[in-house]
Amino acid sequence: MLKLVGGGGGQDWACSVAGTGLGGEEAAFEVARPGDREEADGWGPGWGCAGIPDPAPGAGMLQAGAAGPARGGQGAEEVGESAGGGEERAVRHPQAPALRLLNRKPQGGSGEIKTPENDLQRGRLSRGPRVAPPTPGMGDRSGQRERLAPHSLGAPPGIGTAAVNGLLHNGFHPPPVPPPLVCSRGPVGGGDATPPRLPLLPELQPQPPLPQHDSPAKKCRLRRRMDSGRKNRPPFPWFGMDIGGTLVKLVYFEPKDITAEEEQEEVENLKSIRKYLTSNTAYGKTGIRDVHLELKNLTMCGRKGNLHFIRFPSCAMHRFIQMGSEKNFSSLHTTLCATGGGAFKFEEDFRMIADLQLHKLDELDCLIQGLLYVDSVGFNGKPECYYFENPTNPELCQKKPYCLDNPYPMLLVNMGSGVSILAVYSKDNYKRVTGTSLGGGTFLGLCCLLTGCETFEEALEMAAKGDSTNVDKLVKDIYGGDYERFGLQGSAVASSFGNMMSKEKRDSISKEDLARATLVTITNNIGSIARMCALNENIDRVVFVGNFLRINMVSMKLLAYAMDFWSKGQLKALFLEHEGYFGAVGALLELFKMTDDQ
Amino acid sequence: MAECGASGGGSSGDTLDKSITLPPDEIFRNLENAKRFAIDIGGSLTKLAYYSTVQHKVAKVRSFDHSGKDAEHDHEPPYEISVQEEITARLHFIKFENTYIGGCLDFIKDHLVNTETKVIQATGGGAYKFKDLIEEKLRLKVDKQDVMTCLIKGCNFVLKNIPQEAFIYQKDSDPEFRFQTNHPNIFPYLLVNIGSGVSIVKVETEDRFEWVGGSSIGGGTFWGLGALLTRTKKFDELLHLASKGQHTNVDMLVQDIYGGAHQTLGLSGNLIASSFGKSATTDKEFSKEDMAKSLLHMISNDIGQLACLHAKLHGLDRVYFGGFFIRGHPVTMRTITYSINFFSKGEVQALFLRHEGYLGAIGAFLKGAEQDNPNQYSWGENYAGSSGLMSTAPELGPTRRARSGTFDLLEMDRLERPLVNLPLLLDPSSYVPDTVDLTDDALARKYWLTCFEEALDGVVKRAVASQPDAADATERAEKFRQKYWDKLQTLRHQPFAYGTLTVRSLLDTREHCLNEFNFPDPYSKVKQRENGVALKCFPGVIRSLDALGWEERQLALVKGLLAGNVPSRPLWSRSPWERPWLVDSYSKWLQRLKGPPHKCALIFADNSGVDIILGVFPFVRELLFRGTEVILACNSGPALNDVTHSEALIVAERIAAMDPVVHSALREERLLLVQTGSSSPCLDLSRLDKGLAVLVRERGADLVVIEGMGRAVHTNYHAALCCESLKLAVVKNAWLAERLGGRLFSVIFKYEVPAE
């Protein structure tokens, strides 16, 4: 399970840049919000700019580190926990520490500071020693194992405090205290700690602190308990992530009910993440926040705030993870709930490079839970779900709200890079009916090859201007009119790209025509498969979601038309405003659920 | 939807090559009497169909008129043979590239004697384009027929009339082609025609079908999109590119998204998550081969998926694929098959058709010939006049082929009577006549092909000898030799050319080729002589049999049945009669004979002469004694020295004159002679004369006797019947005997009683 950790570095949004220039990102960041740097000591920028090498970050870390230790020492962390939990973790990720260290090296100008962080999680006993010298007991590995362990987990930024005041969970912590113990952010941060937590700790009620013998994991748990006080709540930041084949979808909950006290105690890097994310709409070169989708004044897990929707290309994942490492997100010890294939593909990278452990979730579960949730809270007072009235009449066709209060059964067609089709009978009863590899990835892939375009937006823009009937062979091109024997209209497409069999026609069409034809081909095909599934499953509502529909009115109307026309009005195509983000929302919901379960 | 032909380049059809030299007699055959033309013009291939009549020499037998005269002299034959001309109906289907259409039409016009024909039925996407040309050249009015209707009519026709028309294709298995025995009821089925687009049609009866869906992603998409992506213009070249590519370089696979975790999640990492997904996220050049392959997979998978969804919706498990995307292309048959297996989890079968390319032409022809009611007849593929699957008129020889382009032929002969299943088959849908599938068994194939090659000289000699008075016999016999030799060579390389290769098909092909060159019955004189001799022995044999005790007589009768199968001069060192035989359930049979008589026995006779007269008739006589009625079934037409129905009638008449038992049985219709509907030395119980089937049902036959190697070993050895059966043969082939675990002249006596 996982932890989330940190969040990651914004730097990497740009996939093209990936690997290379941090500089660029940084610049972007700066542009976006010049002020942050100072404030955050580099963390703020983190998302945007990852400014790793920068001294500023270093400084930030330092501070954090210092804080951490200070607090950690303080008893809070030491609270006892069941040994089991902690150990498990260690066992699971034995080698992580080493790697982590490597990664971090660059970061730190100041060795000491760094240390605490490094150890974070896994709290490996062995690590202890490495931890910042200042910490008591550090020197003595054997003797202090237990204590050390916690420290190591703890991330530098002052988690310790949190434990103390109970807010810690949420990522707020008191100002750093200078000296002593290594801080235990263990509880929070240890990415490792988190996962075991759930299963391990049955009881969440506050317990008396146990000074000794606690594994890092235990400490984490402990801290959490104390933080939540009134309620079990995961520590901030709250993210849900859906790592798809083409896009990473991230939802971020921004608490708006932060009290002044909380604000003051909020650890720096947490704060900078919040500020950075919420004050920008673009991150790096390719990260985008879909501001228009923001859900305001939402109450989640007892906190009021706004839910932000962010996406960036999956190819920027490595940069993202790298930034997570550089920014030491693991120190925030939140749990990073992630779904999509990438949750599996990048799990190891998250752990090894950024010391973050993912809580991996089934993407279809997340999709459905996310969808039901978003629909239930509505879209800032407006309905989430809509359909097209008069889909077969271009003049009269218009978007209308649809009440999805009683959604079952529904056929859910998720159109990402590829397409999955689910029959959903209740909240927990669904099956994957089929899928097709002809999806958004195919549209974009073919468009790139055929027209030389590079982005989805570009491809759609071209498609909007093109005419697919130059490219496709229509029924009337073959039969001179309708094919009456089978009741096919002359305007129906008989063969997608069929006219391209002829050289003259190939020479006479435009890129826009090709883009349009690609879009129409893929869309109609999905519609056709969805319709067959609806028939086979005997379901008459078909809900289309996924980022293939983003800013893609052409496809939505085509789908609405196709469902209505071919079913003679029996099937209804439904759409949702947050089309591509349900998986990520579902992942976030899982974060709360984990906590509840405990 | 529309069919749009394909192998050639896009617009080649416009330039007509008139200078082509056609070997007319071998391509457009029997044009003199041709009528009812139909033409199906696709994007690159033209299919022409016509009906004509063929004059055949047929050997007829006739009893001498004995009235008034005393018995025949010793050397006089028992009946007379005459060769007569007979007219039979034949359907011709010729497929050629559109390039040759002008030349072909000219040729047809020049040779078309019959002027009654006023109309030509036309179908296919190109019918419109070539309408004027056709009307001008042939002076026939073009009557356009609906493409899908023609396809479906054609499909029904081949499924009903050509055994092993359909096959499944498995790329990596041997054989790649696995032919299906025809289901007794071909309906309902799904036909997926992949032309430039895809049409999915549910066919419920001969005349009822429904367009249930379609897709615009079809062959035209592969071709058009492929041409754009790879700058390769021709369909065939695109397929060739695709066959060399790696789609994983272009497609986003599950493992690309899930990393290595797909294994632990039970996902197959090689599944395509997003076709062309990598070209959306990777900034690099992709090879033409890889893109073509990815495109091929994308389109094949999509079509397969839709086909499965439709099959599921309609509860069908047989899906036939046709259209130029499929036509003879192993690459696309493979990807479609893969897709169907994947999406249906094996519940739906992707089936392809040997004569898929002709469906439209056949259907258009049938539409135009409705007044002749071709559907009331059964038709048989003429192996002599048809080029096999994936071979283009190979018999033309390489040089002539180069000159004539690629022509492909299908000829079907009208059978005089409709053929149906033997009602006694236990499970008609799983009945396979042939014992050994030579497409499957390379060793056996090699052996038998060689065996037939080596026997060819003898057959040629026999053919010449059978027509001593014909001046051109030698010449025709040589042509026969060449034709059959070429067929054998084709089969060496393409064992699947005419469906499952079997000893039966090799024998049948030989008969067809002999007929082709007017050797209707090379054995007629041999049979005549042997029948004469055997008839003379009949009374003596009967006397000695009657002298035996009951038990001895039963054994002697069985030996008699078997003996007719053995060369008259015994070559064996050890008597084959020594029991136990190789397969020996004689005791069980004897036991059965001690019980109540059978109600009615159906006996399939084998050879003329000793076999029928001294083996079968005494056995029949014994059954009649027991109170069992007998239906004696003989071939309708000649094959080797097998007794034909007309010969059997004469023989029976002669025996009746000598034997009161047979006489009264014939008179009282307790002994009935019927024809099988076949002219093969083997026996296909799923294609028997309808009259025979009716009789079997009426009389309540409860015993089937099949004798001879061709009928009881090469075929039907494993046939399961729903009544008692006897399968008797002496294995006259050392290789086969060894295969069966015995030696030359081993005796097979297989008495089977169906499980309760």
Side-chain angles (χ1 to χ4, degrees), chain A residues 57 67 106 159 198 282 310 318 405 534:
Chain A
I159 295 177
L198 306 178
I310 296 162
H318 280 111
D405 286 352

Side-chain angles (χ1 to χ4, degrees), chain A residues 345 363 435 437 442 483 496 525, chain B residues 146 216 221 256 258 275 302:
Chain A
K345 179 178 179 179
E363 57 184 308
S437 69
T442 313
Y483 187 12
S496 297
N525 190 60
Chain B
D146 174 66
S216 66
T221 313
D256 294 321
Y258 275 83
S275 293
D302 192 54

Side-chain angles (χ1 to χ4, degrees), chain A residues 245 341-342 344-345 363 417-418 434-435 437 441-442 445 478 483 485-486 488 494-497 501 506 525 529 532 536, chain B residues 2 146 148 196-197 209 211 216 220-221 223 225 227 233 252 256-258 261 273-276 279 302 305 309-310 313:
Chain A
F344 296 87
K345 179 178 179 179
E363 57 184 308
S417 311
T434 189
S437 69
T442 313
I478 298 172
Y483 187 12
R485 178 68 183 76
F486 287 151
L488 291 176
S495 173
S496 297
F497 288 86
M501 290 187 278
R506 281 202 294 277
N525 190 60
I529 293 172
M532 287 307 298
N536 275 329
Chain B
D146 174 66
M148 287 307 301
S196 46
F209 57 87
W211 186 86
S216 66
T221 313
W223 194 347
L225 198 43
K233 294 177 190 136
M252 184 184 285
D256 294 321
I257 298 179
Y258 275 83
S274 175
S275 293
F276 286 89
S279 58
D302 192 54
Q305 178 172 27
L309 286 167
H310 283 284
L313 187 63

Side-chain angles (χ1 to χ4, degrees), chain A residues 165-172 227-238 253-263 265-266 270 274 295-307 373 377 588 592:
Chain A
N165 66 13
L167 293 175
L168 189 48
H169 282 320
N170 297 330
F172 301 101
D227 283 349
S228 48
R230 357 158 235 218
K231 179 161 182 181
N232 294 324
R233 221 180 269 142
F236 284 129
W238 292 350
F253 181 81
E254 170 205 9
K256 297 295 272 186
D257 56 356
I258 302 175
T259 59
E261 188 189 2
E262 275 181 324
E263 171 117 30
E265 294 176 356
E266 187 177 21
L270 182 56
R274 178 163 58 85
L295 291 177
K296 301 206 165 80
N297 264 330
L298 206 56
T299 303
M300 292 191 97
C301 210
R303 298 297 302 250
K304 267 204 180 336
N306 298 338
L307 194 57
Y373 174 79
V377 300
L588 174 60
F592 305 142

Side-chain angles (χ1 to χ4, degrees), chain A residues 109 198 251 522:
Chain A
L198 306 178
V251 295
I522 301 294

Side-chain angles (χ1 to χ4, degrees), chain B residues 461 517 630:
Chain B
K461 238 177 256 166
F517 296 99
V630 176

